[in-house]
Every structure is written in structure tokens, then in C-alpha cells.
Amino acid sequence: MELLYSITLGILTACGVYLLLRARTFSVILGLTLLSHAVNLFLFSMGRLRTDSPALIGVVSEHADPLPQALVLTAIVIGFAMTAFTVVLALKAAVELRNDHVDGENPDEDRP
Amino acid sequence: MQLALIILVPLLGAFAPALRRRDPVWRLALFAGLPALLSFSLLLSLLPQVLAGEVLVYQWDWISQLGLSFALRLDGLGWLFATLITGMGTLIIAYARYYFEGKATSGRFYSLILLFMFAMLGIVLSENLLFMLVFWELTSLVSFLLIGFNWHSQGARRGARMSLVITGGGGLLLLAGLLLLGQMAGSYQLSEVLLAGERIKADPRYPVMLSLVLLGAFTKSAQFPFHLWLPHAMSAPTPVSAYLHSATMVKAGLFLMARLHPAIADTELWFNLVVPTGMLTLMVGAFVAMFMHDIKGLLAYSTISHLGLIALLLGLGTPLAVSAALFHLVCHALFKAPLFMMAGMVDQATGSRDMQRINGLWRYMPVLMVLTAVPAAAMAGLPLMSGYLSKKMLFVESLQVSYPFWTTVVPVWVTLAGLFSVAYSIRIFHNVFYNGRPLDLPIYPPRQPSRRAMAPLALLTLGCLVVGFAPALVYDKVVAMAVNAASGTLVPAYDFSALSVARWPMIMSIIAMIGGALFYLARNPLFAIHSRLPEVDAKNIFEWIVDRAIAYSQRRVYQLENGSLQRYLALILVTTVGLGGWALLRFDQWQGPIALSPVDAMSVFGASVICLAALGVVVFHHARLPALLALGVCGLFVTLAFARFSAPDLALTQLSVEVMAVVIMMLALSFLPQRSPHESSLPRWTRDLTVAGIAGIGVGGLAYAVLTRPVDSISDFFLANAVPGGGGTNVVNVILVDFRGFDTLGEITVLGIAAVAVYAFTRDLHLKERVAQIADEHWVADPHPVILSMVARLVLPIALLVSAYIFLRGHNMPGGGFIAGLITAAALTLQYMAGGLVWAQERMLTQFRPLIGGGILLAGVTGMGAWVFGYPFLTSTFGYFSLPLVGKFELASALLFDLGVYATVVGSTLLILANLGKLMTVAGPGKEIG
């Protein structure tokens, strides 16, 4: 299970990083989302992988580590806010610069 | 307390002239003079204690963890310098009253001078090395401002810059040196450092430390080759030159060498570093001074030469060398300051400082001539003058050098330098007051300076005479205790009677005097030779170096920072991957001791879907809509992964977030191009793939290594205390709202800020043309499908009920403010999507910012509520209550906190979505969403 989890994490990270390096803002947003999935899963796994043992006192006897869960929970919400912010940034850049290249200038167009 | 007053009085006094700068000069001089005089008298009142050998320490702890304390120390050495600084300062302030007569800038001058006095007193009275350094840099800064006092002249600006770069740079080296010294001594307190001398000298880091400290001292005290800044500092007003650049600031380096003498001096390395530097400085200064036609230029080089002389004495290491050094330091201050004052007066009287034009002034200012004769003679070292004794002391010490090779070199060298100094001393007096008649002066005839203006000069001249006639008295009362403090031992009193009968020093003096006179007589042919030499301006060379350095670093910066964000991101990632990979490569065992847990078919399926979806995003990212769908799939299966591995709260959160993230991205996609062009070149593509591959392998490998190792978590505490301490059985929620409530408070604040930032960005984003274009394209065939809107309206109350339920049970079962907030937001978003923005706005709240603010406020106030009961911030409390019908139930203050979280999450999410949605509305924005 641990191996499977690690491979999945690796693939998510690799895809995220690759997309981060693309030239168009939308690809970068996609990459950022994938990378934040990877990061969340990575942080979460620092409490080790447990099956059927949520951190609920009195419901089950074995408990997963609640601390990484609490940290990742807020990370997910903040990650969402950041994604929204990046999206708006991309929109603003696209409108003001009339293209959606990350560097703000379209390599195919001649600069005015 | 008196100690603190001594240095604080000038600091406080510095405000008065700055605030009342329109007042007449005499009143400003009074404002400035009183604090200086007060400090001076305080020091005098402490003289008996200091003479008795007491070390006064005043300490006030500041950051004791860093070894930083505001500590002052007054011993003989500090007293000597502090008295010099305040006494000389008072006289300079009095002198400047006439120098600045009728000039509007005097207020600035006086407050800077007092600031400088404060900084300089700080250096000499600091007990803490780090504090001393702060003052050290402060003097460099004030000196910069004072040299650039006439900022409209280019020469002043460049001179100021040069001095700042050299002395400020030296200060940085000194910082490194002092940090090392502090580490070696185990303390930054001077009292302890001074006692740790033997340990310091035995330390292997001693050479590095000594070089750094000495570089700091040399740059400040204008030792060769750092002396270049001093002549260019002469563009400062003359009182500044007299005070900073001859009597006080340039002595700071020498002070440091004397101060740290017991701790770091008198080793072979010390000798080899200090003595040659001092000798070179002494000779270069004395030789060049002769050829300076500018009076202040001559005095500047002469100052350099004397600084070199004192450094040389401090380096010699013979028993009485330190006595000679400090004695000469006092003499130098006494004779150089009046000469500078004379230079300033001549400058004002004739409008020129060029000695080729200023001649024969004895006819016009005989009093000044008489007053100047004494310090000039002292500088030359004529018999009965103070300089005569100190120069002879130098000769005596030079004869006692025991290092081979140096035994003959040093005496010959100092005699030669003495010869030059006699020559330039004769020159400054003879050339200015005799030597024929003045040649076309800008102001003719020269104006006689007023009697009162000459009073400070006369006082200093008197001082020269006193030292010359009663050297033993001055030595015993003023210098001896400083020598004791500087050498760390009791040095026997200096025998001045033996000095007058010593044979070799006498011969050396005579050689210097006769040789100097002959050298001066031969000046005209020498000047002719000198004027044919190519003129080298150190300022130009310096500017050239600085320009080249700036141009070079600019080129490098532009190479690295070429404006391409894509490139920056690549650089950051490559660095991260590189550093992380390098650290991981040294990792010898990936597989930890824990056996792998078994794999089931569902997990394999889920993992495969995540991987395939992620790869799908990459493969399809040119066609953006399919890529977004793949991303949604990926997110949903991440949700399942959380559920699979016992994290119900995370799964709920991820699910709601996923929905809204995809909605937002869909919104964005409708404005952005639908396809990404294929534009990456093959090398770029390969590079990115490599980086991504390494990153993936690294993260995967790291996770694997961690997962197969045992865990030692602090979470047992949370698990054990969730119910008794937090009153909830859902430990994740208890951590969020209770144990780590402060984190959560910060996190919802970040969320709110992000939402407000989105609001600010979208508010003036005009997508009108674009929206119209999209509407024509009929990107969406039916913007608000009937079935969707009907279902959405039905779902809303149910969804709200669910979110309320999730919210209330959150403390004990999966749920809580974050999740409930996201569910509410998702349900309301659905209304927007189904009915359209305008439709939704008519029925819903449109002001979300108050909701965000209110949420954060509620959470914060709940936290502060704990204060009322005397508990720390965010301590929660809970109790069990029972109501008829409902039965027994629990109420925790954490619930209120969670309510704040809920409100913030709902407000932020809807603020983001509604504003993005508003951009899409062709028919106008409708109501303002805020």
C-alpha cells in the first residue's frame, strides 16, 4: 500500500511540476492544483496510512494521527482561496496584456 | 546613570537646532553648545573616580539571549577619548558659530554635530562590543552626511560616497571580526573579553579575527591604502574637518586598537600587520602633504601621517609604546584642530585655500599668525612644544624594536618621516603668513577675523603650550590612566627627564629638523617636478571602480532576471529539485524497517485513476476543457483517498472544495483561449520533463522512505486530551478550534484576505468586449437549464439543513465550521449557476465582506473572551446542559469560534464566486457585490 501511495504521489508531483513550467496561465493553474493535491496527500501521509480508524474518540479504538489531518484541512481551504486568486490574476493578466502567456507577451506576436 | 546621561544629552540636544533652524546662529550655537558642555562637565566630575582606577559600568539588559545589552563603561581610556570628544566638540561648536555666520544651514550642521558626538561617545563608552559596532556605523553615516553637507557640489557628493563605502565597508568587516572575537571570548561584554586575552590568542581563528578587526580599524583611521577617502572628505565644512576628520572620528580605529589591546595585541602577527601599515601610512601621508597646495589637503595628509604614526606605536609592542601612542594622540588633537580652524579662517578671509596664491598674510592677520605659530611648531616637533616630546618618544620606542630586520629599518624610517613632517609644518606656516605677497585673491584685502572667533583657537594653542611645558603633569593626570586601561596592566609613569637627555633620539630629532628645513628650501624645484607628474585623482578611480562594479552586477542581475516568469519558476524548481535531490542522494536506505501493508483491489483502482487522470491533465492540457474534466476526476479520487485512509473530515472538505474549484476554473476558462498552442521547443520540453521527473521520483521516494519508518507523533496528547480538555470527540475539529485555534484564526484571516484580493482585482476588470464575443459564440447553449434551476431550488433548503447539521455535530463527529461553510457556499453557488447572477442577486445577500469581517471578529472575540476569565487567548470552555424535550446536550465556547470560521468560509467563497460570476454578466453587473 505504501509503495502504491508513493508512486501515486510521485506521478501527481511530476505532472504538477511539468504543468507549472508551461507557458500558458491556464496550464499553470492546472499544474498548481495538481501540485497542491500532491502536497496535501504528502502532508497527510506523514501521519502514516491507517484504515478504518478515524480520529473519533469512542467510535473506534484505533486512531489515525489527527494533527496532519487538521493541518491539511486548513491547507485545502487556503489552497482553494489561492487557486481562486491565481485564476483572477490570470484573467487580469489576459485582459490587460491581451494574451495569456505567463511572461505577459505572446512570442508569436510582434510587440507594439 | 551619569554615564547614560553623558551620551544621551547630546542625542537629546540634537533636536533643538534641528527644530529651531531659523533662529540666529548664536542661539543655535548656544543650543548645541550647552549639551556638549554638560557632557564635558559630567565627565570632569567623574575624573577623581577614574583616576582612582575605578571602572564604572552601567548596564541595562536588552536582548540577553543574543548577548546584547545596553551597557556603558567608563575607564581611563574611555574617559580620555570621551573628554577629547566633548571638549573638542564644545570648542568646534563655538568656532562654527563664526564660520556659519549668516548661513542658513547652521541648524543642520549643529544637530548633525551633536548626533555625531552622541555616536562617537557611544563608541568609546560602550561596554558591549555589538553596541559599539552600532555606534561605529552611526559615525560613518553621520560623517557621510557631514561630508556631503554642501550637497550641491559634485565633489562633496563623491567624497561623501567614497568615505561611506570605505568606512561603511570596513564596519562590515569589523562586524564579522567582532562576532568572531565574541565567540572566541565567550562574551560580548568588554570586561570579559579583555580578560580572555590568552584564550583568544591561542584560538585557531585568531588570525582571521585579527585581520577583520584591523581592517575595520584601518579603514576608519585612514591607514594606507584606505587613506584615500580622507583627503576627499575635506569637501566638508572646515569645522567638520577639524572635528571629525582630524580630532575624533578618524581616531576611532586607533581607539579600537587600544581598547582591544589586552585581548588581541602584542603577538607577532599583530606586529607584522600593524607596524608595516603604520609605517607606510606615516610615510605616504608625510611625503604627499608637502606637495599639497590646498591648505586643507596638506592638513589632511598630515593627519593621515600622524594616524599612521600612532598606529605604528600601537603596533610596536615595546613596554612604553602605548604610552607614547596615547600621549601623541592627545598632542595631535591639540595641534591639528587649531590648524584646521586657521585654514577655515584663512579660507573665509581670502576666499581661497590655494597656498600658491595665499602668501604673506602676516600683514593682514598678525594675531592669527601668532596663534598659529604654536601648533605649527608643535606639529613640526620643535623643542619645548608638545609635538617635540611625542616625536622623541616615538624615536625612543623605535630604537627598542627587538624583531630582527625591523631594528634598523624602523628608526631610519621614522626619522625620514619626521623630516618630511618638519618640512610640511614649515610650509603651512611660512607659506601662508610669509613667502612674499598674496597673488590675486578672490577677496582682497583679506579680512581680519574677529577676536572672539579666535578664542577657541587660542584655547587650543594654550593647551599645546601646557603640554609642552608640563608634560609630566598632563601625562599623569590624563594619559597614564588611559594607558593602564589600554594595556591592562599598571604601566610605570613616563620618565620625561630621561627623555631629554637620551642621545640617539636627540640626534634623530636634529637630523629631522635640519633635513626638513633643507627640504623646504628646495621646494620650488621639487614642486616643478611634481607638477609634471601625471595627475591621478583617487576619486575618479574610485568612481570608475564603483561604476564598473554596478554595471557588472547589473549585467549579472539581468542575465538571471530577464523578466520571464516562466524562467523564474524554472529556476526556482530546478534549485529546489537540485538541493532536495542532493540531500536525498546521500540517503542510503529508502526502505524503512516497517513492513508494507497489504494492497486491495479498490485501492489499486483508485490510485490508477488518480495517476491516469493526472497524466490525462498533462496529455490533454492543450485542449483545456478535457484537461479540466480530468482534473476534476483527479480531485474526486483524492477525496476518496482521504476517505480510504481514515480522514472523513478531509474527504468532506476536499469534496466541497473540488466542486467550487472546478466551477471557478470553468468560469475562467470561458474568458481564456480554449486551447493552448504547442509552442515548447524540444530542449525546453526535455528540460521540463527532466525536472518534473526528478521532482516526482524525489517526492515519491521521500514519502516511501517516511511511510516505511515508525512514527513518533505528538498526537497522543491530542487524542488523550480531546474529550477532557476540549470537550469533543472529533479530535481533528478539536485541534482546529481549540488546541491550535490560533493557527485557525490565522488561516481564516488568510482566506479572507485572498477573497478580498480577488474582489479588488475583479472590481475594475473590464471584460465587456470579451463577454459580448462569447455570448455571440453561444458557448453555452442554454445558460440556465430549467431542470437545473428547479432542482437547485429544491436542493437549497436541504443543503442548508445538512450544513447546519454538519456544523453542529462537528465537535464530535466529522464536520465543523470549515466543512459546513463550504457546503453552504456550494449550495448557494448552485443557485447562482442555475438561476443566473441577476436572479440570484435579487434574492440573496450581496455584501459578503461584512460576513468575512464579522466571522474573523467573532472568532477573535471568542478567543479574547478567555481573558475575561483570566485564561490565555483562545482557551475554550464547555459544559453540559439539559433542556426539556431536547435532553442533555453540550455547549462549548469553541462552537462560537467555529461559527466565526463558518461565516468567514461562506463569505470568502461566495465573494470569490460571485465576483467572478459578475464578470460574465453581459447585461451589466447588477448590484454591487462586495
Side-chain angles (χ1 to χ4, degrees):
Chain A
M1 186 67 85
E2 281 77 7
L3 189 62
L4 186 68
Y5 193 91
S6 308
I7 292 172
T8 313
L9 253 183
I11 289 178
L12 268 180
T13 313
C15 293
V17 169
Y18 178 78
L19 285 174
L20 269 189
L21 292 169
R22 297 302 91 209
R24 299 289 162 167
T25 48
F26 195 75
S27 312
V28 173
I29 295 170
L30 293 177
L32 205 60
T33 316
L34 280 182
L35 197 62
S36 59
H37 283 324
V39 170
N40 287 341
L41 283 174
F42 179 78
L43 287 179
F44 168 66
S45 72
M46 290 303 105
R48 303 302 181 271
L49 305 176
R50 298 286 194 86
T51 308
D52 294 334
S53 47
L56 299 173
I57 309 285
V59 179
V60 283
S61 54
E62 284 273 304
H63 300 296
D65 194 338
L67 188 61
Q69 293 193 13
L71 297 182
V72 170
L73 200 154
T74 49
I76 293 173
V77 180
I78 290 183
F80 163 72
M82 281 301 129
T83 309
F85 183 72
T86 337
V87 164
V88 174
L89 210 56
L91 281 180
K92 181 115 176 153
V95 169
E96 301 215 328
L97 305 165
R98 297 184 181 284
N99 69 70
D100 69 334
H101 196 281
V102 170
D103 295 345
E105 49 192 23
N106 208 331
D108 303 333
E109 286 171 14
D110 290 330
R111 267 184 276 175
Chain B
M1 201 54 225
Q2 266 171 312
L3 284 185
L5 268 184
I6 291 172
I7 93 162
L8 286 179
V9 164
L11 176 64
L12 297 176
F15 289 101
L19 294 175
R20 310 288 306 261
R21 57 177 172 271
R22 301 203 184 285
D23 284 14
V25 181
W26 67 266
R27 202 180 298 164
L28 291 174
L30 206 63
F31 282 147
L34 282 178
L37 204 59
L38 183 59
S39 282
F40 182 68
S41 356
L42 276 171
L43 278 164
L44 283 187
S45 74
L46 291 173
L47 178 62
Q49 278 166 280
V50 176
L51 263 182
E54 273 183 57
V55 178
L56 305 170
V57 174
Y58 169 80
Q59 182 146 355
W60 179 69
D61 275 333
W62 183 33
I63 309 176
S64 45
Q65 295 91 333
L66 287 179
L68 263 183
S69 56
F70 181 75
L72 297 173
R73 166 197 178 92
L74 184 73
D75 59 5
L77 188 66
W79 189 89
L80 175 66
F81 273 87
T83 312
L84 213 58
I85 291 160
T86 48
M88 204 61 88
T90 313
L91 292 176
I92 293 291
I93 286 167
Y95 165 69
R97 180 240 174 287
Y98 295 95
Y99 187 86
F100 279 101
E101 185 76 69
K103 292 183 192 167
T105 48
S106 54
R108 185 152 57 98
F109 167 80
Y110 278 125
S111 74
L112 283 175
I113 277 286
L114 282 178
L115 265 186
F116 172 78
M117 192 183 286
F118 158 71
M120 197 65 207
L121 284 170
I123 293 183
V124 300
L125 295 181
S126 273
E127 155 78 355
N128 189 291
L129 286 178
L130 297 177
F131 245 104
M132 183 171 83
L133 193 87
V134 174
F135 289 116
W136 181 281
E137 294 290 35
L138 203 56
T139 56
S140 293
L141 283 178
V142 181
S143 156
F144 169 78
L145 293 174
L146 281 170
I147 297 172
F149 194 79
N150 300 316
W151 41 266
H152 37 73
S153 118
Q154 196 203 22
R157 289 198 305 271
R158 293 168 101 187
R161 201 152 57 204
M162 185 165 167
S163 85
L164 184 68
V165 169
I166 294 181
T167 56
L172 290 181
L173 298 177
L174 180 63
L175 168 65
L178 289 184
L179 287 176
L180 268 179
L181 177 64
Q183 284 177 6
M184 287 155 69
S187 166
Y188 291 103
Q189 298 298 98
L190 212 46
S191 333
E192 292 172 42
V193 172
L194 293 184
L195 295 177
E198 284 182 17
R199 183 146 42 94
I200 291 169
K201 288 173 202 170
D203 197 291
R205 291 171 290 178
Y206 173 75
V208 182
M209 182 277 297
L210 185 65
S211 318
L212 289 170
V213 170
L214 283 181
L215 276 174
F218 288 169
T219 47
K220 195 82 162 182
S221 282
Q223 298 295 302
F224 183 85
F226 308 110
H227 66 283
L228 289 172
W229 69 266
L230 188 56
H232 295 288
M234 291 300 138
S235 15
T238 305
V240 174
S241 309
Y243 190 42
L244 272 70
H245 305 122
S246 100
T248 52
M249 189 181 95
V250 288
K251 304 258 170 75
L254 304 172
F255 167 78
L256 185 75
M257 286 158 72
R259 177 83 281 176
L260 296 176
H261 210 267
I264 63 173
D266 293 344
T267 57
E268 200 173 335
L269 183 65
W270 167 272
F271 182 92
N272 286 333
L273 287 176
V274 178
V275 169
T277 310
M279 283 167 65
L280 270 175
T281 314
L282 167 68
M283 190 60 88
V284 168
F287 185 75
V288 177
M290 180 66 195
F291 295 96
M292 286 283 127
H293 297 306
D294 177 6
I295 309 182
K296 281 177 79 178
L298 187 151
L299 289 173
Y301 273 99
S302 134
T303 304
I304 291 172
S305 143
H306 284 277
L307 293 171
L309 192 163
I310 300 169
L312 166 65
L313 279 169
L314 286 172
L316 279 179
T318 52
L320 290 170
V322 176
S323 317
L326 292 178
F327 187 69
H328 187 71
L329 193 141
V330 174
C331 295
H332 177 249
L334 285 177
F335 67 64
K336 192 53 68 63
L339 288 174
F340 265 110
M341 290 179 180
M342 179 277 283
M345 285 176 187
V346 168
D347 185 7
Q348 286 190 315
T350 64
S352 169
R353 299 195 318 229
D354 186 353
M355 281 191 283
Q356 287 163 312
R357 292 153 84 183
I358 305 166
N359 296 308
L361 288 188
W362 66 272
R363 289 183 192 82
Y364 308 99
M365 26 184 92
V367 182
L368 187 63
M369 183 196 84
V370 174
L371 287 177
T372 312
V374 175
M379 183 157 83
L382 297 187
L384 289 180
M385 295 295 163
S386 58
Y388 175 71
L389 294 164
S390 58
K391 199 154 284 181
K392 245 177 153 183
M393 286 159 92
L394 166 71
F395 292 154
V396 172
E397 299 309 320
S398 72
L399 290 168
Q400 291 175 8
V401 177
S402 54
Y403 290 94
F405 171 72
W406 297 107
T407 37
T408 45
V409 173
V410 176
V412 173
W413 189 276
V414 293
T415 313
L416 196 60
L419 183 156
F420 290 132
S421 79
V422 171
Y424 69 67
S425 306
I426 299 177
R427 179 168 186 211
I428 195 169
F429 184 72
H430 182 259
N431 204 327
V432 169
F433 292 103
Y434 294 93
N435 203 21
R437 289 186 162 273
L439 298 171
D440 79 285
L441 290 176
I443 300 172
Y444 190 84
R447 288 188 298 249
Q448 164 87 311
S450 76
R451 291 279 155 91
R452 271 184 288 173
M454 282 187 280
L457 206 159
L459 265 174
L460 287 166
T461 301
L462 190 68
C464 282
L465 286 174
V466 170
V467 177
F469 283 105
L473 178 79
V474 174
Y475 183 88
D476 288 343
K477 291 287 173 217
V478 182
V479 182
M481 58 191 187
V483 174
N484 290 339
S487 55
T489 49
L490 279 180
V491 177
Y494 203 91
D495 188 359
F496 283 94
S497 53
L499 194 65
S500 54
V501 296
R503 189 157 150 260
W504 270 107
M506 179 67 89
I507 296 173
M508 287 159 82
S509 289
I510 291 170
I511 293 175
M513 273 185 272
I514 296 175
L518 290 176
F519 191 75
Y520 180 68
L521 287 177
R523 66 190 181 280
N524 287 331
L526 287 172
F527 287 163
I529 297 170
H530 182 256
S531 65
R532 268 190 306 243
L533 296 175
E535 199 168 325
V536 187
D537 189 349
K539 246 188 305 199
N540 289 337
I541 300 172
F542 175 77
E543 291 282 319
W544 182 81
I545 294 173
V546 169
D547 285 347
R548 289 299 296 267
I550 290 174
Y552 175 80
S553 43
Q554 245 164 11
R555 259 201 318 281
R556 285 281 161 278
V557 167
Y558 288 141
Q559 273 177 1
L560 200 66
E561 192 183 329
N562 62 354
S564 162
L565 296 178
Q566 205 183 354
R567 185 196 169 102
Y568 299 167
L569 207 52
L571 281 175
I572 293 171
L573 282 169
V574 166
T575 316
T576 317
V577 166
L579 288 177
W582 184 66
L584 284 178
L585 274 184
R586 292 179 300 173
F587 200 50
D588 46 2
Q589 205 177 8
W590 289 94
Q591 165 95 45
I594 293 186
L596 300 187
S597 49
V599 180
D600 56 293
M602 282 312 282
S603 304
V604 176
F605 173 70
S608 318
V609 172
I610 293 182
C611 296
L612 286 177
L615 291 169
V617 177
V618 172
V619 173
F620 295 122
H621 82 269
H622 292 291
R624 294 178 173 181
L625 196 58
L628 190 53
L629 295 180
L631 186 73
V633 172
C634 188
L636 287 177
F637 274 82
V638 169
T639 308
L640 290 180
F642 286 135
R644 166 73 182 75
F645 297 112
S646 322
D649 291 275
L650 289 191
L652 285 170
T653 314
Q654 180 72 48
L655 185 65
S656 352
V657 160
E658 195 55 40
V659 171
M660 273 174 300
V662 172
V663 168
I664 287 179
M665 280 193 243
M666 289 289 270
L667 279 174
L669 191 55
S670 66
F671 298 112
L672 295 169
Q674 300 305 306
R675 306 188 62 81
S676 302
H678 294 265
E679 58 193 356
S680 298
S681 57
L682 190 64
R684 166 72 56 96
W685 191 74
T686 326
R687 181 198 75 182
D688 293 350
L689 218 54
T690 318
V691 173
I694 298 176
I697 293 169
V699 170
L702 183 63
Y704 183 68
V706 175
L707 287 178
T708 50
R709 282 174 166 73
V711 61
D712 182 22
S713 169
I714 55 169
S715 296
D716 291 337
F717 170 82
F718 297 127
L719 288 170
N721 287 293
V723 177
T729 54
N730 180 7
V731 187
V732 176
N733 185 268
V734 175
I735 291 177
L736 282 176
V737 298
D738 191 335
F739 292 131
R740 303 191 63 92
F742 203 50
D743 284 4
T744 309
L745 187 62
E747 275 148 356
I748 57 173
T749 312
V750 172
L751 189 67
I753 291 170
V756 172
V758 168
Y759 164 72
F761 262 158
T762 48
R763 208 162 55 141
D764 57 347
L765 196 58
H766 299 294
L767 294 174
K768 288 282 162 52
E769 326 79 273
R770 258 187 123 125
V771 172
Q773 206 183 347
I774 295 163
D776 289 344
E777 282 170 13
H778 289 285
W779 198 65
V780 186
D782 184 0
H784 309 300
V786 179
I787 296 180
L788 178 63
S789 44
M790 292 322 286
V791 172
R793 279 169 221 176
L794 277 179
V795 160
L796 181 65
I798 304 172
L800 290 181
L801 203 64
V802 168
S803 79
Y805 170 67
I806 292 265
F807 174 75
L808 285 175
R809 76 168 198 171
H811 214 43
N812 293 316
M813 294 299 282
F818 273 109
I819 298 163
L822 288 168
I823 292 175
T824 308
L828 292 175
T829 309
L830 189 61
Q831 307 308 308
Y832 274 102
M833 288 168 65
L837 187 76
V838 181
W839 180 88
Q841 275 183 353
E842 286 163 6
R843 293 163 179 80
M844 265 165 41
L845 182 71
T846 51
Q847 294 296 313
F848 301 112
R849 277 177 302 162
L851 199 58
I852 300 174
I856 297 175
L857 196 67
L858 179 61
V861 168
T862 313
M864 281 188 268
W867 285 344
V868 179
F869 303 100
Y871 289 106
F873 187 55
L874 279 172
T875 311
S876 77
T877 178
F878 61 95
Y880 295 93
F881 305 90
S882 61
L883 277 180
L885 291 180
V886 182
K888 186 180 166 195
F889 69 104
E890 181 204 340
L891 269 183
S893 72
L895 199 68
L896 273 180
F897 183 81
D898 222 12
L899 191 63
V901 174
Y902 172 81
T904 312
V905 171
V906 172
S908 305
T909 318
L910 286 178
L911 184 63
I912 293 170
L913 276 162
N915 271 299
L916 274 171
K918 193 183 73 176
L919 296 176
M920 296 212 35
T921 322
V922 190
K927 272 199 266 180
E928 171 80 4
I929 299 167

